[in-house]
Coordinates of all heavy atoms in Angstrom, one line a residue:
M808 N 11.5 -16.2 2.6 CA 10.5 -15.1 2.7 C 9.4 -15.3 1.7 O 9.6 -15.3 0.5 CB 11.2 -13.7 2.4 CG 10.3 -12.5 2.7 SD 11.2 -11.0 2.8 CE 11.6 -10.8 1.0
N809 N 8.2 -15.6 2.2 CA 7.1 -15.8 1.3 C 5.9 -15.2 1.9 O 5.1 -15.8 2.6 CB 6.9 -17.4 1.2 CG 5.8 -17.7 0.2 OD1 5.4 -16.9 -0.7 ND2 5.2 -18.8 0.3
R810 N 5.7 -13.9 1.5 CA 4.7 -13.1 2.2 C 3.5 -13.0 1.2 O 3.7 -12.8 0.0 CB 5.2 -11.7 2.6 CG 6.0 -11.9 3.9 CD 7.2 -11.0 4.0 NE 6.8 -9.6 4.0 CZ 7.7 -8.6 3.9 NH1 9.0 -8.9 3.8 NH2 7.3 -7.4 4.0
R811 N 2.3 -13.0 1.8 CA 1.1 -12.9 1.1 C 0.3 -11.7 1.3 O 0.5 -11.1 2.4 CB 0.2 -14.2 1.4 CG 0.9 -15.5 1.2 CD 0.6 -16.0 -0.2 NE 1.4 -17.1 -0.6 CZ 1.4 -17.6 -1.8 NH1 0.6 -17.1 -2.8 NH2 2.2 -18.6 -2.1
C812 N -0.5 -11.3 0.4 CA -1.4 -10.2 0.6 C -2.2 -10.3 1.9 O -2.7 -11.4 2.2 CB -2.4 -10.1 -0.6 SG -3.5 -8.7 -0.5
A813 N -2.3 -9.2 2.6 CA -3.0 -9.2 3.9 C -4.5 -9.1 3.8 O -5.2 -9.3 4.8 CB -2.5 -8.0 4.7
R814 N -5.0 -8.8 2.6 CA -6.5 -8.7 2.4 C -7.1 -10.1 2.6 O -6.7 -11.1 2.0 CB -6.9 -8.1 1.1 CG -6.4 -6.7 0.9 CD -7.4 -5.7 1.5 NE -7.1 -4.4 1.2 CZ -6.6 -3.5 2.1 NH1 -6.4 -3.9 3.4 NH2 -6.3 -2.3 1.8
P815 N -8.2 -10.1 3.4 CA -8.9 -11.4 3.6 C -9.3 -12.1 2.4 O -9.9 -11.5 1.5 CB -10.1 -11.0 4.5 CG -9.8 -9.7 5.1 CD -8.9 -9.0 4.1
G816 N -9.0 -13.4 2.3 CA -9.4 -14.1 1.1 C -8.6 -13.9 -0.1 O -9.0 -14.4 -1.2
C817 N -7.6 -13.2 -0.1 CA -6.8 -12.9 -1.3 C -5.7 -14.0 -1.5 O -5.9 -14.9 -2.3 CB -6.2 -11.5 -1.2 SG -5.2 -11.1 -2.7
G818 N -4.6 -13.9 -0.7 CA -3.6 -14.9 -0.8 C -2.6 -14.8 -1.9 O -1.7 -15.6 -2.1
R819 N -2.7 -13.7 -2.8 CA -1.7 -13.5 -3.8 C -0.4 -13.1 -3.2 O -0.4 -12.6 -2.1 CB -2.2 -12.5 -4.8 CG -3.1 -13.0 -5.9 CD -3.4 -11.8 -6.9 NE -4.3 -10.9 -6.3 CZ -5.6 -10.7 -6.6 NH1 -6.1 -11.4 -7.6 NH2 -6.4 -9.9 -6.0
P820 N 0.7 -13.4 -3.8 CA 2.0 -12.9 -3.3 C 2.0 -11.4 -3.1 O 1.5 -10.7 -4.0 CB 3.0 -13.4 -4.4 CG 2.3 -14.4 -5.2 CD 0.8 -14.1 -5.1
A821 N 2.6 -11.0 -2.0 CA 2.7 -9.5 -1.7 C 3.8 -8.9 -2.6 O 4.9 -9.5 -2.7 CB 2.9 -9.3 -0.3
T822 N 3.5 -7.8 -3.1 CA 4.5 -7.0 -3.9 C 4.7 -5.6 -3.3 O 5.7 -4.9 -3.7 CB 4.1 -6.9 -5.4 OG1 2.9 -6.1 -5.4 CG2 3.8 -8.2 -6.0
T823 N 3.8 -5.2 -2.4 CA 3.8 -3.8 -2.0 C 3.7 -3.8 -0.5 O 2.9 -4.7 0.1 CB 2.6 -3.1 -2.6 OG1 2.7 -3.1 -4.0 CG2 2.6 -1.6 -2.1
T824 N 4.4 -2.9 0.2 CA 4.2 -2.7 1.7 C 3.5 -1.4 1.9 O 3.9 -0.4 1.4 CB 5.5 -2.8 2.4 OG1 6.1 -4.1 2.3 CG2 5.3 -2.4 3.9
L825 N 2.4 -1.5 2.6 CA 1.6 -0.3 3.0 C 2.0 0.1 4.4 O 2.0 -0.7 5.3 CB 0.1 -0.6 2.9 CG -0.9 0.6 3.2 CD1 -2.2 0.3 2.4 CD2 -1.2 0.6 4.7
S826 N 2.3 1.4 4.6 CA 2.6 1.9 5.9 C 1.9 3.2 6.1 O 1.5 3.8 5.1 CB 4.1 2.0 6.2 OG 4.7 2.9 5.2
Y827 N 1.7 3.6 7.3 CA 1.0 4.8 7.6 C 1.4 5.5 8.8 O 2.0 4.8 9.7 CB -0.5 4.5 7.6 CG -0.9 3.4 8.5 CD1 -1.2 3.7 9.9 CD2 -1.0 2.1 8.1 CE1 -1.5 2.6 10.7 CE2 -1.3 1.1 8.9 CZ -1.6 1.3 10.3 OH -1.9 0.3 11.1
A828 N 1.1 6.8 8.9 CA 1.5 7.5 10.1 C 0.3 8.4 10.5 O -0.1 9.3 9.7 CB 2.7 8.4 9.9
Y829 N -0.3 8.2 11.6 CA -1.4 9.0 12.1 C -1.1 10.5 12.2 O -1.8 11.3 11.8 CB -2.0 8.5 13.4 CG -2.7 7.2 13.3 CD1 -2.2 6.0 13.7 CD2 -4.0 7.2 12.7 CE1 -2.9 4.8 13.5 CE2 -4.8 6.0 12.6 CZ -4.2 4.8 13.0 OH -4.9 3.7 12.9
A830 N 0.1 10.7 12.8 CA 0.5 12.1 13.0 C 0.6 12.9 11.7 O 0.2 14.1 11.7 CB 1.8 12.2 13.7
Q831 N 1.0 12.3 10.6 CA 1.1 13.0 9.4 C -0.1 12.7 8.5 O -0.2 13.3 7.3 CB 2.4 12.5 8.6 CG 3.7 12.9 9.3 CD 4.8 11.9 9.2 OE1 4.8 10.9 10.0 NE2 5.6 12.1 8.3
R832 N -1.0 11.9 8.9 CA -2.2 11.5 8.1 C -1.8 11.1 6.7 O -2.3 11.6 5.7 CB -3.2 12.7 8.0 CG -3.9 13.0 9.3 CD -4.7 14.3 9.2 NE -5.5 14.5 10.4 CZ -6.7 14.1 10.6 NH1 -7.4 13.5 9.7 NH2 -7.3 14.4 11.8
T833 N -0.8 10.3 6.6 CA -0.2 9.9 5.3 C -0.1 8.3 5.3 O 0.2 7.7 6.3 CB 1.2 10.5 5.2 OG1 1.1 11.9 5.2 CG2 1.7 10.1 3.8
V834 N -0.5 7.8 4.1 CA -0.3 6.4 3.8 C 0.7 6.3 2.7 O 0.7 7.0 1.7 CB -1.6 5.8 3.3 CG1 -1.5 4.3 2.9 CG2 -2.7 6.0 4.4
W835 N 1.7 5.4 2.9 CA 2.7 5.1 1.8 C 2.6 3.8 1.2 O 2.3 2.8 2.0 CB 4.1 5.3 2.5 CG 4.5 6.6 2.9 CD1 5.0 7.7 2.1 CD2 4.4 7.2 4.2 NE1 5.2 8.8 2.9 CE2 4.8 8.5 4.2 CE3 3.9 6.6 5.5 CZ2 4.9 9.3 5.3 CZ3 4.0 7.4 6.6 CH2 4.4 8.8 6.5
L836 N 2.8 3.7 -0.1 CA 2.9 2.4 -0.7 C 4.4 2.3 -1.2 O 4.9 3.2 -1.9 CB 2.0 2.3 -1.9 CG 0.5 2.3 -1.6 CD1 -0.3 2.4 -2.9 CD2 0.1 1.1 -0.8
D837 N 5.0 1.3 -0.8 CA 6.4 1.0 -1.2 C 6.6 -0.4 -1.8 O 5.8 -1.2 -1.5 CB 7.4 1.1 0.0 CG 7.5 2.6 0.5 OD1 8.0 3.4 -0.3 OD2 7.1 2.8 1.7
D838 N 7.6 -0.5 -2.6 CA 8.0 -1.9 -3.0 C 8.2 -2.7 -1.7 O 8.6 -2.2 -0.7 CB 9.2 -1.9 -3.9 CG 9.0 -1.2 -5.2 OD1 7.9 -1.4 -5.8 OD2 9.9 -0.5 -5.7
L839 N 7.8 -4.0 -1.8 CA 7.8 -4.8 -0.6 C 9.1 -4.6 0.2 O 10.2 -4.8 -0.2 CB 7.7 -6.3 -1.0 CG 7.3 -7.3 0.1 CD1 5.9 -7.0 0.6 CD2 7.4 -8.7 -0.4
H840 N 8.9 -4.3 1.5 CA 10.0 -4.1 2.4 C 10.7 -5.4 2.7 O 10.0 -6.4 2.7 CB 9.5 -3.5 3.8 CG 9.0 -2.1 3.7 ND1 8.6 -1.4 4.8 CD2 8.8 -1.3 2.7 CE1 8.2 -0.2 4.5 NE2 8.3 -0.1 3.2
A841 N 12.0 -5.3 2.8 CA 12.7 -6.5 3.2 C 12.3 -7.1 4.5 O 12.3 -8.3 4.8 CB 14.2 -6.3 3.1
E842 N 12.0 -6.1 5.4 CA 11.7 -6.5 6.8 C 10.1 -6.6 6.9 O 9.5 -5.7 6.5 CB 12.2 -5.5 7.8 CG 13.7 -5.3 7.7 CD 14.5 -6.0 8.8 OE1 13.9 -6.1 9.9 OE2 15.6 -6.3 8.6
D843 N 9.7 -7.7 7.5 CA 8.2 -7.8 7.7 C 7.9 -7.2 9.1 O 8.3 -7.7 10.1 CB 7.9 -9.3 7.7 CG 6.4 -9.5 7.7 OD1 5.6 -8.5 7.7 OD2 6.0 -10.7 7.8
S844 N 7.2 -6.1 9.1 CA 6.9 -5.4 10.3 C 5.4 -5.5 10.6 O 4.5 -5.4 9.7 CB 7.2 -3.9 10.2 OG 6.6 -3.2 11.2
P845 N 5.1 -5.8 11.9 CA 3.6 -5.9 12.3 C 2.9 -4.6 12.1 O 1.6 -4.6 12.1 CB 3.7 -6.4 13.7 CG 5.0 -6.1 14.2 CD 5.9 -6.1 13.0
A846 N 3.6 -3.5 12.0 CA 2.9 -2.2 11.9 C 2.5 -1.9 10.5 O 1.7 -1.0 10.2 CB 3.8 -1.1 12.4
N847 N 3.0 -2.7 9.5 CA 2.7 -2.5 8.1 C 1.8 -3.6 7.6 O 1.6 -4.6 8.2 CB 4.0 -2.4 7.3 CG 5.0 -1.3 7.8 OD1 4.5 -0.3 8.3 ND2 6.2 -1.5 7.6
H848 N 1.4 -3.4 6.4 CA 0.5 -4.4 5.7 C 1.1 -4.7 4.3 O 1.4 -3.8 3.6 CB -0.9 -3.8 5.5 CG -1.6 -3.5 6.8 ND1 -2.1 -4.4 7.7 CD2 -1.8 -2.3 7.3 CE1 -2.6 -3.8 8.7 NE2 -2.5 -2.5 8.5
D849 N 1.3 -5.9 4.1 CA 1.8 -6.3 2.7 C 0.6 -6.6 1.8 O -0.4 -7.2 2.2 CB 2.6 -7.6 2.9 CG 3.9 -7.4 3.7 OD1 4.4 -6.2 3.7 OD2 4.4 -8.3 4.3
L850 N 0.7 -6.1 0.6 CA -0.4 -6.2 -0.3 C 0.0 -6.7 -1.7 O 1.2 -6.5 -2.1 CB -1.1 -4.9 -0.5 CG -1.8 -4.2 0.7 CD1 -2.2 -2.8 0.3 CD2 -2.9 -5.1 1.2
C851 N -0.9 -7.4 -2.4 CA -0.6 -7.8 -3.8 C -0.8 -6.5 -4.6 O -1.3 -5.5 -4.2 CB -1.5 -8.9 -4.2 SG -3.2 -8.4 -4.3
A852 N -0.3 -6.5 -5.9 CA -0.4 -5.4 -6.7 C -1.8 -4.9 -6.9 O -2.1 -3.7 -6.8 CB 0.3 -5.6 -8.0
P853 N -2.8 -5.8 -7.3 CA -4.1 -5.3 -7.5 C -4.7 -4.6 -6.2 O -5.4 -3.6 -6.4 CB -4.9 -6.5 -7.8 CG -3.9 -7.5 -8.4 CD -2.6 -7.2 -7.6
H854 N -4.5 -5.2 -5.1 CA -5.0 -4.6 -3.9 C -4.3 -3.3 -3.5 O -4.9 -2.3 -3.1 CB -5.0 -5.5 -2.7 CG -6.2 -6.5 -2.7 ND1 -6.1 -7.8 -2.6 CD2 -7.5 -6.2 -2.8 CE1 -7.3 -8.3 -2.6 NE2 -8.2 -7.4 -2.7
A855 N -3.0 -3.2 -3.8 CA -2.3 -2.0 -3.6 C -2.8 -0.9 -4.5 O -3.0 0.3 -4.0 CB -0.8 -2.2 -3.8
D856 N -3.1 -1.2 -5.7 CA -3.6 -0.2 -6.7 C -5.0 0.3 -6.3 O -5.4 1.4 -6.6 CB -3.7 -0.8 -8.1 CG -2.3 -1.0 -8.7 OD1 -1.3 -0.5 -8.1 OD2 -2.2 -1.8 -9.6
R857 N -5.7 -0.5 -5.5 CA -7.1 -0.1 -5.1 C -7.1 0.6 -3.7 O -8.1 0.9 -3.2 CB -8.0 -1.3 -5.1 CG -8.6 -1.6 -6.5 CD -9.5 -2.7 -6.5 NE -8.9 -4.0 -6.7 CZ -9.4 -5.2 -6.5 NH1 -10.6 -5.3 -5.9 NH2 -8.7 -6.3 -6.8
T858 N -5.9 0.7 -3.2 CA -5.8 1.3 -1.8 C -6.2 2.8 -1.9 O -5.7 3.5 -2.8 CB -4.4 1.2 -1.3 OG1 -4.1 -0.2 -1.1 CG2 -4.3 2.0 0.1
H859 N -7.0 3.2 -1.1 CA -7.3 4.7 -1.0 C -7.3 5.1 0.5 O -7.7 4.3 1.3 CB -8.5 5.1 -1.7 CG -9.8 4.4 -1.2 ND1 -10.6 4.9 -0.2 CD2 -10.3 3.2 -1.6 CE1 -11.6 4.1 -0.1 NE2 -11.5 3.1 -0.9
P860 N -6.7 6.2 0.8 CA -6.5 6.6 2.2 C -7.8 7.1 2.8 O -8.8 7.5 2.1 CB -5.5 7.8 2.1 CG -5.8 8.4 0.7 CD -6.2 7.2 -0.1
P861 N -7.9 7.1 4.1 CA -9.1 7.7 4.8 C -9.3 9.1 4.4 O -8.3 9.8 4.0 CB -8.7 7.6 6.3 CG -7.7 6.5 6.4 CD -6.9 6.6 5.1
K862 N -10.5 9.6 4.6 CA -10.8 11.0 4.2 C -9.8 12.0 5.0 O -9.6 11.8 6.2 CB -12.2 11.3 4.6 CG -12.7 12.6 4.1 CD -14.2 12.7 4.4 CE -14.8 14.0 3.9 NZ -14.7 14.3 2.5
G863 N -9.2 12.9 4.3 CA -8.3 13.8 4.9 C -6.9 13.4 4.9 O -6.0 14.1 5.4
W864 N -6.6 12.2 4.4 CA -5.2 11.6 4.4 C -4.7 11.7 3.0 O -5.4 11.8 2.1 CB -5.2 10.2 4.9 CG -5.5 9.9 6.3 CD1 -6.5 10.4 7.1 CD2 -4.7 9.1 7.2 NE1 -6.4 10.0 8.4 CE2 -5.3 9.1 8.5 CE3 -3.5 8.3 7.0 CZ2 -4.7 8.4 9.6 CZ3 -3.0 7.6 8.1 CH2 -3.6 7.7 9.4
D865 N -3.3 11.7 3.0 CA -2.6 11.7 1.7 C -2.1 10.2 1.4 O -1.8 9.5 2.4 CB -1.4 12.6 1.7 CG -1.7 14.0 1.7 OD1 -2.8 14.3 1.1 OD2 -1.0 14.8 2.2
L866 N -2.1 9.9 0.2 CA -1.6 8.6 -0.3 C -0.4 8.9 -1.1 O -0.4 9.6 -2.1 CB -2.6 7.8 -1.1 CG -2.1 6.5 -1.7 CD1 -1.7 5.5 -0.6 CD2 -3.1 5.9 -2.7
K867 N 0.8 8.4 -0.7 CA 2.0 8.6 -1.5 C 2.5 7.3 -2.0 O 2.9 6.4 -1.2 CB 3.1 9.3 -0.6 CG 2.6 10.7 -0.1 CD 3.8 11.5 0.3 CE 3.3 12.8 0.9 NZ 2.5 13.6 0.0
D868 N 2.5 7.1 -3.3 CA 2.9 5.9 -3.9 C 4.4 6.0 -4.3 O 4.7 6.8 -5.2 CB 2.0 5.6 -5.1 CG 2.2 4.2 -5.7 OD1 3.3 3.6 -5.4 OD2 1.4 3.8 -6.5
R869 N 5.2 5.3 -3.6 CA 6.7 5.4 -3.9 C 7.2 4.2 -4.6 O 8.4 4.0 -4.6 CB 7.4 5.6 -2.5 CG 7.0 6.9 -1.8 CD 7.8 7.2 -0.6 NE 7.6 6.2 0.4 CZ 8.0 6.3 1.7 NH1 8.5 7.4 2.1 NH2 7.8 5.4 2.6
R870 N 6.3 3.4 -5.1 CA 6.8 2.2 -5.8 C 7.5 2.5 -7.1 O 7.1 3.4 -7.8 CB 5.6 1.2 -6.1 CG 5.0 0.6 -4.8 CD 3.7 -0.1 -5.1 NE 2.7 0.7 -5.6 CZ 1.6 0.3 -6.2 NH1 1.3 -1.0 -6.3 NH2 0.7 1.1 -6.6
E871 N 8.5 1.7 -7.4 CA 9.2 2.0 -8.7 C 8.5 1.4 -9.8 O 8.5 1.9 -10.9 CB 10.6 1.4 -8.6 CG 11.5 2.2 -7.6 CD 12.9 1.6 -7.6 OE1 13.3 0.8 -8.4 OE2 13.7 2.1 -6.7
L872 N 7.8 0.3 -9.6 CA 7.1 -0.4 -10.7 C 5.7 0.1 -10.7 O 4.8 -0.5 -10.2 CB 7.1 -1.9 -10.5 CG 8.5 -2.5 -10.6 CD1 8.4 -4.0 -10.3 CD2 9.1 -2.4 -12.0
A873 N 5.5 1.3 -11.2 CA 4.2 1.9 -11.2 C 3.3 1.2 -12.3 O 3.8 0.9 -13.4 CB 4.3 3.4 -11.5
P874 N 2.1 0.9 -11.9 CA 1.2 0.3 -12.9 C 0.9 1.3 -14.1 O 1.0 2.5 -13.9 CB -0.1 0.0 -12.1 CG 0.0 0.9 -10.9 CD 1.4 1.1 -10.7
V875 N 0.5 0.7 -15.2 CA 0.1 1.5 -16.3 C -1.0 2.5 -16.0 O -1.0 3.6 -16.3 CB -0.2 0.6 -17.5 CG1 -0.7 1.5 -18.7 CG2 1.0 -0.2 -17.9
H876 N -2.0 1.9 -15.3 CA -3.2 2.7 -15.0 C -3.1 3.1 -13.5 O -3.1 2.3 -12.6 CB -4.5 1.9 -15.2 CG -4.6 1.5 -16.6 ND1 -4.9 2.4 -17.6 CD2 -4.5 0.3 -17.3 CE1 -5.0 1.7 -18.8 NE2 -4.7 0.5 -18.6
R877 N -3.0 4.4 -13.3 CA -2.9 4.9 -12.0 C -4.2 5.4 -11.6 O -4.7 6.4 -12.2 CB -1.8 5.9 -11.9 CG -1.7 6.7 -10.6 CD -1.3 5.8 -9.5 NE 0.0 5.3 -9.6 CZ 0.4 4.1 -9.3 NH1 -0.5 3.2 -8.8 NH2 1.6 3.7 -9.4
L878 N -4.8 4.9 -10.5 CA -6.1 5.4 -10.1 C -5.8 6.7 -9.3 O -4.9 6.8 -8.5 CB -6.8 4.4 -9.1 CG -7.1 3.0 -9.8 CD1 -7.7 2.1 -8.7 CD2 -8.1 3.2 -10.9
R879 N -6.7 7.6 -9.5 CA -6.5 8.9 -8.8 C -7.8 9.1 -8.0 O -8.9 8.9 -8.4 CB -6.3 10.0 -9.8 CG -5.0 9.9 -10.5 CD -4.7 11.2 -11.3 NE -3.4 11.0 -12.0 CZ -2.2 11.1 -11.5 NH1 -2.1 11.4 -10.2 NH2 -1.2 10.9 -12.2
Y880 N -7.6 9.7 -6.8 CA -8.7 9.9 -5.9 C -8.7 11.4 -5.5 O -7.7 12.0 -5.1 CB -8.6 9.1 -4.6 CG -8.6 7.6 -4.9 CD1 -7.5 6.9 -5.1 CD2 -9.8 7.0 -4.9 CE1 -7.5 5.5 -5.4 CE2 -9.9 5.6 -5.2 CZ -8.7 4.9 -5.4 OH -8.8 3.6 -5.7
A881 N -9.8 12.0 -5.7 CA -10.0 13.4 -5.4 C -10.1 13.5 -3.8 O -10.6 12.7 -3.2 CB -11.2 14.0 -6.0
G882 N -9.5 14.6 -3.4 CA -9.6 14.9 -1.9 C -8.6 13.9 -1.2 O -8.8 13.6 -0.1
Ligands
ZN2113 ZN1 -4.5 -9.0 -2.5

């Protein structure tokens, strides 16, 4: 298993899996899932930290290894 960040031009090792549900308007960040699902996106830590949800959506960060600096987004 050697998964890389899904952001174009990045290529760093993925540490985080991003998943989302339209019905709940929610985006989740989790420690890298064991299973690689085409519905999810694998991201490196810097890109995961810069993730922000679409307007009106919630972002729920469930990673255990939380970064020291947590970015917060209003709304
Ligand atoms: Zn990346």
Side-chain angles (χ1 to χ4, degrees):
M808 189 169 69
N809 184 21
R810 283 143 66 186
R811 299 271 168 187
C812 179
R814 292 280 185 251
C817 179
R819 277 184 286 249
T822 63
T823 302
T824 294
L825 180 154
S826 57
Y827 51 88
Y829 285 104
Q831 292 145 279
R832 291 174 177 265
T833 302
V834 177
W835 292 276
L836 296 175
D837 290 299
D838 293 322
L839 194 66
H840 290 186
E842 304 256 331
D843 189 4
S844 165
N847 299 333
H848 300 285
D849 295 333
L850 298 173
C851 66
H854 276 129
D856 289 345
R857 275 183 268 163
T858 296
H859 56 91
K862 193 172 175 63
W864 286 51
D865 286 331
L866 174 66
K867 299 200 184 302
D868 190 342
R869 300 186 293 197
R870 291 174 296 170
E871 290 183 11
L872 295 174
V875 173
H876 299 290
R877 171 66 64 219
L878 299 177
R879 294 191 183 280
Y880 297 92

